[in-house]
Amino acid sequence: MLKLTDSQYQQFLAGDTRNFIAAVADQFLAKRPEMQANPGRAEVIERMQNAYNGGLKMGFTSTPHLVYMMYMEADAPGLFEDETVRYYLTKPTSTPEQRLDDFDAILKLEIKRMGEK
């Protein structure tokens, strides 16, 4: 049986996380090829890494919600660093995932209303 030291295990987890974020970025860029050139793959990965880290700090545990945050951050850098957004997502009485679902519904409603004008 393979045994890892704590340091080796932490390195393994960090590498696994980097690979996950890169895979999500590649999936995103496949759907958004115009972003390959500007801002570029490295920048998209950095934005997604920021969203992933921020999501974990806010208490997110759901992978689909973290991926949604990563996609949003790729398009709107700094969105989840905004103090008001962070406050809303971490407000007590609901989980961050429930709050993000509500936030998403509000965004979709606003986009729909803007399209009707």
Side-chain angles (χ1 to χ4, degrees), residues 52-90:
Y52 181 85
N53 292 342
L56 292 179
K57 285 180 186 174
M58 286 187 267
F60 282 85
T61 59
S62 163
T63 301
H65 286 86
L66 287 167
V67 169
Y68 175 78
M69 290 177 71
M70 292 163 65
Y71 267 61
M72 291 292 289
E73 187 73 17
D75 272 326
L79 175 65
F80 295 105
E81 294 173 5
D82 180 87
E83 186 176 322
T84 304
V85 173
R86 275 196 334 264
Y87 173 78
Y88 176 75
L89 293 176
T90 59

Side-chain angles (χ1 to χ4, degrees), residues 30-48:
K31 295 176 184 177
R32 301 285 304 281
E34 74 280 5
M35 291 187 75
Q36 283 278 7
N38 187 20
R41 184 176 184 266
E43 177 64 24
V44 168
I45 289 173
E46 183 177 333
R47 291 175 185 181
M48 288 188 169

Side-chain angles (χ1 to χ4, degrees), residues 68 72 99-109:
Y68 175 78
M72 291 292 289
R99 294 249 180 228
L100 185 61
D101 290 341
D102 292 345
F103 183 71
D104 180 53
I106 291 166
L107 286 175
K108 287 178 180 171
L109 180 63

